[in-house]
Amino acid sequence: DTGVSQDPRHKITKRGQNVTFRCDPISEHNRLYWYRQTLGQGPEFLTYFQNEAQLEKSRLLSDRFSAERPKGSFSTLEIQRTEQGDSAMYLCASSNTGGGHNEQFFGPGTRLTVL
Amino acid sequence: QQQVKQSPQSLIVQKGGIPIINCAYENTAFDYFPWYQQFPGKGPALLIAIRPDVSEKKEGRFTISFNKSAKQFSLHIMDSQPGDSATYFCAASKDSGYSTLTFGKGTMLLVSP
C-alpha cells in the first residue's frame, strides 16, 4: 500500500501521560499536514511541514503539542501531559506541491482516548 | 468564527435520489473548494474540487455548483447508491489550494436501498 500510513491506529492513555504518533507520507510528497478531528466535526488544521521545515502552526497547537519531521520524510506528533480534551482523531495528510496542484491525501488517522 | 458553514447536518435519500449538500464561506481570499468523502474508520478522501473561475464541475456522478457572488457552493450526487452512504465535508483554501484547508462540519448521508 502506497498511501499515507499512521501508527498507532488507536491509543488509550491516562490523563497526564505523554503520547507520540507517527505518520509516513506518500513517498516523495514534500508537504505533510496534521489535523485533529473531533466527533461530529470536520478536521481542524494543526500544523504543516514542507520537507523538514515546519511552516505554519495553528493556535490550536498548544505548547503541550510538538511535531517534527526530521529528515523530511516521516513525522511525529507528541502530546505532553495529555488532557481529556485531547481525545480526538489525529489525521495526517501529505501532498506534492509540484505539478500545479496540491491535493492532500489523508491517512486513516490515530484515535486518541484520554481517560 | 466558523469560516465554512455546511448544511444539512444529516440527510437521508432513497437509492437513485439526488442529495444536495450546501456550503457557504466568508473569506473572499478562498479560491479552492474541494469536497471530501469519509467512511467510518477511514481518513477523508478527495472527491472533486472547483476553483472560482467556473460555475460548475462534473466528475462522474458528482457535481459541484459554485456561486461566487453568493459565496456558496454545493455538491450534488446523481443516481445515489447505498455505497455513497458516508460523511461529506466541504472545504476551502487560499492560494489555489496551496494553503491549509478549512473544513465544514460535515454532512452524514444515508442512501437507503
Side-chain angles (χ1 to χ4, degrees), chain A residues 9 31 35 37 40-43 45 48 97 100-104 106-108, chain B residues 32 36 38 41-44 46 51 89 97-101 103-106:
Chain A
R9 295 292 308 278
R31 280 202 182 173
Y35 291 82
Q37 185 177 22
Q41 301 293 318
F45 167 74
Y48 87 90
T97 56
H101 61 277
N102 190 42
E103 179 183 347
Q104 293 184 32
F106 283 82
Chain B
Y32 173 73
Y36 282 82
Q38 186 175 30
K42 304 285 188 180
L46 179 67
R51 301 185 190 279
F89 294 95
Y98 284 81
S99 185
T100 58
L101 291 168
F103 283 85
K105 290 190 174 184

Side-chain angles (χ1 to χ4, degrees), chain B:
Chain B
Q1 180 185 9
Q2 186 184 354
Q3 293 199 57
V4 179
K5 294 184 180 180
Q6 183 172 346
S7 63
Q9 189 174 10
S10 62
L11 188 55
I12 301 174
V13 299
Q14 289 191 330
K15 178 182 174 182
I18 305 176
I20 300 173
I21 304 171
N22 300 298
C23 283
Y25 64 97
E26 298 171 359
N27 190 341
T28 54
F30 287 145
D31 59 5
Y32 173 73
F33 304 91
W35 284 88
Y36 282 82
Q37 179 189 57
Q38 186 175 30
F39 292 104
K42 304 285 188 180
L46 179 67
L47 264 181
I48 184 173
I50 196 168
R51 301 185 190 279
D53 53 342
V54 296
S55 60
E56 186 176 278
K57 183 175 181 180
K58 291 183 180 181
E59 284 187 6
R61 296 185 294 108
F62 300 94
T63 298
I64 300 179
S65 297
F66 185 83
N67 185 329
K68 187 175 181 178
S69 60
K71 293 187 287 185
Q72 295 176 347
F73 57 109
S74 60
L75 176 70
H76 302 230
I77 305 175
M78 304 302 185
D79 187 28
S80 58
Q81 302 296 312
D84 296 330
S85 298
T87 300
Y88 292 82
F89 294 95
C90 62
S93 175
K94 297 182 285 186
D95 303 322
S96 300
Y98 284 81
S99 185
T100 58
L101 291 168
T102 299
F103 283 85
K105 290 190 174 184
T107 296
M108 191 177 300
L109 171 66
L110 177 63
V111 181
S112 59

